[in-house]
Amino acid sequence: MDMLWSGWGDPARARPLPDAVIGLLRDMLGVAPSPNAPVALGEVDVPETRLEPSARRALTAALDGPDEGAGGGGEHVRTDPETRIRHTRGKSTPDLLRIRGGDVTDVPEAVLYPASHDQVLAVLRACAEHGLAVVPFGGGTSVVGGLVPGRPRPFVALDLRRMDRLLALDPVSRTATLQPGLRAPRAEELLAEHGFTLGHLPQSYEWATLGGFAATRSSGQASAGYGRFDEMVLALTLATPEGTLDTGRAPRSAAGPDLRQLVLGSEGAFGVITSVTVRIRPVPRTRVHEGWRFDSFAQGTAALRRLAQDGPRPTVLRLSDETETLIGLAQPEAIGSGTAPPAGCTAVVGHEGTEEETAYRRRGAAAVLRACGGTPLGEEPGRNWAHGRFSAPYLRDSLLDAGALAETLETATFWSRVPELYTAVRDALTATLTRAGTPPLVMCHISHVYENGASLYFTVVSAQGDGDPVAHWTRAKHAANEAILAAGGTITHHHAVGTDHRDWYVREIGPLGTDALRAVKRRLDPAGILSPGVLLPAD
């Protein structure tokens, strides 16, 4: 099933906001219903493809395979309007506002469906020969402008959905090699047949792919226990216009710089990931999530730091600030239910493993949380969070339908800088989104923890501004980005760089770092066809 073209996920799961919530949006934030309904799919005016006949022939030949028959690659070169619309941009709020208005200025000229590493290599060679940019497309869940070139030029979307197999599984070493087009739920199904799990559960889990996880350094909601995706990757294969790069022949090595780390987070700018070998773990026998209350965000942050540094570390560990707790965003499906959350801040703590180790770590974590001022709320808040953990993007769509502006951003820093970074970003968002004396609703939670620091994840809801909600949000986003750099945070913790963060990323790594990455790109992609303007400014 394809994702909703003008929103998130499965259209059957979309729900309108309760009247009470719509009333609160009007009274608290000045939200007014949008004067224009989103356009229908059939009403979107898609320009004719500019794909030259010679380029189409070359791409068709590149996608021919032993099972396709003569010329059979043609069915895997799609130029029909609907397919191109469904591969236009990603799922950020500006992306959705533009597509709902019928704006398809970033539409690809064609969508290609390779089935193997060799076909990807052939496509890249053909595109380099014909001057076509190539943007890899997995689940289409990018929220940072990662699915279009950074400047207007003809491009094709390389949809990897046909590359969706479990290639190998080593139960002794506990590794699995998977193709990049596997969506996360299917990957978990395949691993579970052998008694294993990856344990990677980002909010995009239901739609995102393994290749996307690697290309963006994804981090899942259970990262406190399983680690980030880049920590799971042991080897990968990269297809480039100049050939194949294979990385990783042992779990760790002292043989020079680790080229895996160069590919991880490269966002399609250096090549197309065609396989990834990951660490896997046995499926846990027990999973339990519970809620804890703290008087303040500062108190809860101190408690999370204690667990992250001294243990026992839970599998899931996250903390909502006072505003997010009050609104109930920690449990998106409960919003508008009339159930009042506890005052203060709510933490969700989860444990997975055998019954014995889960009970042991749960007791130890509870002792630390109590010592830090926490009050147990039982398992119900944890169960509610786990049940609705993938619902927030649907809520965002419902808010857009009601005329509100809703968006997220994230960053990370060292523990000592968390208070400063938290305040700086809140202040920047509040200052730029306040209209007619009405401030926005700015919420935050600590989403991922490490021994030395944590990630801050902000959610913003406001009125859409004065006629141009995309420009309204862009001003706020730029102000938040400046605040992040000034406060010593990283421009992105897990959403990736794309085009939205690119200009701040190059400032973060500096001119010499930028030049070093440019040199890598020139060697792997001399024609500059791979996701130009994504990650690095286009030449």
Side-chain angles (χ1 to χ4, degrees):
M1 179 176 64
D2 286 323
M3 190 185 290
L4 178 64
W5 70 277
S6 59
W8 181 266
D10 180 358
R13 291 179 57 185
R15 296 186 308 170
L17 293 175
D19 291 340
V21 174
I22 293 176
L24 285 173
L25 292 172
R26 180 186 63 243
D27 297 340
M28 290 178 55
L29 302 176
V31 171
S34 175
N36 300 311
V39 299
L41 178 60
E43 297 173 355
V44 179
D45 185 14
V46 182
E48 290 291 326
T49 180
R50 293 175 289 176
L51 192 66
E52 296 287 345
S54 59
R56 182 188 283 271
R57 287 193 296 271
L59 294 173
T60 297
L63 295 175
D64 271 341
D67 299 324
E68 309 292 351
E75 69 176 282
H76 304 306
V77 180
R78 299 284 299 275
T79 57
D80 60 284
E82 181 173 339
T83 299
R84 293 166 66 204
I85 290 170
R86 290 186 179 278
H87 291 78
T88 300
R89 295 187 287 270
K91 297 299 181 180
S92 70
T93 291
D95 288 341
L96 296 188
L97 288 169
R98 291 175 64 191
I99 199 74
R100 285 167 172 235
D103 180 350
V104 289
T105 52
D106 300 318
V107 67
E109 305 303 328
V111 181
L112 314 179
Y113 298 89
S116 68
H117 173 82
D118 287 343
Q119 286 191 0
V120 173
L121 284 176
V123 164
L124 296 183
R125 286 193 293 267
C127 287
E129 180 182 350
H130 290 273
L132 286 168
V134 181
V135 176
F137 192 99
T141 61
S142 171
V143 292
V144 293
L147 297 181
V148 293
R151 64 182 183 188
R153 63 176 291 184
F155 76 99
V156 296
L158 192 69
D159 190 317
L160 300 169
R161 70 179 64 191
R162 295 176 68 208
M163 300 176 68
D164 62 353
R165 291 183 295 138
L166 169 63
L167 298 176
L169 190 142
D170 179 349
V172 176
S173 303
R174 291 186 176 176
T175 68
T177 301
L178 308 122
Q179 290 187 305
L182 262 176
R183 287 213 333 232
R186 179 57 181 156
E188 285 293 340
E189 289 175 2
L190 293 172
L191 293 174
E193 292 174 2
H194 301 273
F196 292 100
T197 181
L198 188 58
H200 189 68
L201 298 163
Q203 196 166 77
S204 60
Y205 168 79
E206 295 172 309
W207 297 91
T209 61
L210 277 290
F213 291 156
T216 60
R217 289 191 184 273
S218 175
S219 193
Q221 295 168 346
S223 65
Y226 289 95
R228 291 165 54 97
F229 194 79
D230 52 3
E231 297 172 308
M232 302 176 187
V233 174
L234 303 172
L236 48 79
T237 300
L238 187 75
T240 82
E242 293 294 286
T244 299
L245 181 66
D246 281 310
T247 69
R249 58 190 306 159
R252 294 292 185 271
S253 171
D258 189 347
L259 291 179
R260 289 173 296 192
Q261 297 303 319
L262 187 64
V263 176
L264 292 166
S266 59
E267 301 185 34
F270 297 161
V272 180
I273 296 169
T274 57
S275 72
V276 59
T277 299
V278 292
R279 175 199 72 205
I280 54 178
R281 291 180 176 170
V283 173
R285 296 180 181 178
T286 301
R287 291 186 175 95
V288 59
H289 298 88
E290 57 191 11
W292 285 79
R293 178 199 171 276
F294 293 91
D295 288 340
S296 67
F297 192 55
Q299 184 186 56
T301 299
L304 266 61
R305 178 174 64 84
R306 280 277 305 276
L307 283 178
Q309 292 180 336
D310 303 326
R313 185 179 294 189
T315 306
V316 174
L317 189 58
R318 52 197 290 125
L319 173 73
S320 294
D321 72 358
E322 292 88 345
T323 306
E324 187 169 288
T325 298
L326 177 65
I327 297 301
L329 198 60
Q331 302 174 38
E333 293 192 341
I335 292 177
S337 66
T339 302
C345 296
T346 298
V348 173
V349 183
H351 304 277
E352 297 183 9
T354 66
E355 293 183 5
E356 296 80 5
E357 64 187 4
T358 296
Y360 172 78
R361 285 189 284 113
R362 188 179 183 187
R363 286 194 302 269
V368 172
L369 294 171
R370 287 182 189 274
C372 292
T375 301
L377 300 175
E379 294 185 19
E380 184 176 3
R383 284 196 300 265
N384 290 341
W385 171 81
H387 178 69
R389 61 167 64 183
F390 306 126
S391 299
Y394 292 99
L395 175 61
R396 188 266 309 265
D397 286 2
S398 298
L399 288 165
L400 292 179
D401 289 341
L405 177 71
E407 186 57 300
T408 63
L409 59 89
E410 41 72 51
T411 179
T413 192
F414 296 104
W415 285 113
S416 60
R417 295 177 178 173
V418 165
E420 176 188 357
L421 182 60
Y422 171 72
T423 300
V425 176
R426 280 179 55 90
D427 289 350
L429 292 169
T430 299
T432 49
L433 290 173
T434 295
R435 286 291 181 272
T438 301
L441 191 64
V442 181
M443 298 164 278
C444 181
H445 65 263
I446 291 177
S447 58
H448 306 274
V449 299
Y450 307 95
E451 182 178 353
N452 306 110
S455 169
L456 294 174
Y457 191 101
F458 293 87
T459 301
V460 187
V461 182
S462 75
Q464 288 194 0
D466 304 321
D468 189 347
V470 173
H472 185 51
W473 170 249
T474 299
R475 287 190 294 270
K477 174 71 170 175
H478 286 191
N481 289 351
E482 292 292 334
I484 286 170
L485 290 193
T490 180
I491 197 60
T492 177
H493 171 263
H494 58 270
H495 279 176
V497 174
T499 55
D500 293 357
H501 294 147
R502 179 195 61 215
D503 296 344
W504 290 268
Y505 171 63
V506 298
R507 286 166 56 187
E508 183 174 322
I509 65 174
L512 186 58
T514 302
D515 287 346
L517 292 182
R518 283 189 182 279
V520 172
K521 182 169 177 62
R522 281 194 295 270
R523 177 63 185 91
L524 299 177
D525 178 25
I529 64 167
L530 290 166
S531 296
V534 172
L535 187 67
L536 297 169
D539 290 328

